[in-house]
Amino acid sequence: MPLSTLICLAFASGLAAALAGRAELRVSPRPPVLSRSFFAWLSFALFVLVPVSVYFYAFYGDWFLLYTVDIRRIPSALAMVGFGVEVLIGVAGFALAGLLIRGQRDGLAGGLLALSVLTAMAAVPAAGDRLSSVGSFAQYKGGFGLVPYGSGSLMTGTLAMGTILALGLAILLGRLFVGSRRG
């Protein structure tokens, strides 16, 4: 998964977590980012979402960044800040949905969720030429030594990480939905 897709999914997961925990958010006087639902989402982000992003960055960094920047030129501290920004984008999604839910605008939050998921999916065909070839930044810019996406270990890694991300999110949302209903 490229960075653009994971950023959109971070925002979408924040929105979805707030919607799943809306029963708690409606009755709690605390700000949405101090709720139990938020801390459950934050655990998901720190233990599932960011590690998936780190996997792609560490093993397929140039592909992950769509060959826009040579990964060897990015200081590791800047990469860590980037992963923090990814979490902050998810926090913004949760906070926004929490405010919309408290204002009885669940439909708008759901619409934003659908839009962010569609945007995450649209990133793949929009960058299809870059995503279809796997190699280093120099290989991509020079047009040599690239392998097709489906012929290497990247496809297996994408399937594995996508499954982990989907299962983690499904468990989180199920737990928030059931847990917020019980009180």
Side-chain angles (χ1 to χ4, degrees):
M1 280 178 244
L3 177 62
S4 55
T5 299
L6 284 168
I7 286 173
C8 292
L9 290 177
F11 188 72
S13 69
L15 291 166
L19 283 166
R22 72 179 137 219
E24 175 199 3
L25 293 173
R26 281 200 179 115
V27 298
S28 175
R30 294 181 293 195
V33 294
L34 294 179
S35 65
R36 280 193 243 165
S37 298
F38 173 74
F39 288 109
W41 175 84
L42 187 60
S43 296
F44 162 80
L46 294 176
F47 295 114
V48 179
L49 182 65
V50 170
V52 166
S53 298
V54 169
Y55 167 81
F56 285 110
Y57 179 78
F59 293 107
Y60 305 101
D62 293 321
W63 179 87
F64 177 68
L65 297 175
L66 300 173
Y67 304 107
T68 54
V69 182
D70 187 353
I71 193 171
R72 294 175 300 167
R73 296 188 171 271
I74 300 173
S76 58
L78 185 58
M80 290 176 63
V81 168
F83 296 125
V85 169
E86 180 182 33
V87 172
L88 289 176
I89 289 169
V91 169
F94 189 95
L96 177 61
L99 293 174
L100 290 171
I101 287 165
R102 287 195 173 159
Q104 304 296 320
R105 302 183 95 190
D106 298 18
L108 183 55
L112 285 172
L113 173 60
L115 183 63
S116 59
V117 169
L118 287 173
T119 304
M121 292 177 4
V124 174
D129 62 322
R130 292 175 181 261
L131 294 174
S132 65
S133 302
V134 181
S136 69
F137 180 81
Q139 287 173 317
Y140 183 81
K141 291 298 179 188
F144 67 92
L146 296 169
V147 296
Y149 170 78
S151 66
S153 61
L154 177 57
M155 184 170 167
T156 306
T158 302
L159 290 172
M161 293 299 132
T163 301
I164 289 169
L165 193 62
L167 281 174
L169 187 59
I171 291 168
L172 168 72
L173 297 178
R175 177 65 182 101
L176 287 176
F177 184 75
V178 170
S180 71
R181 299 265 179 243
R182 283 194 244 162

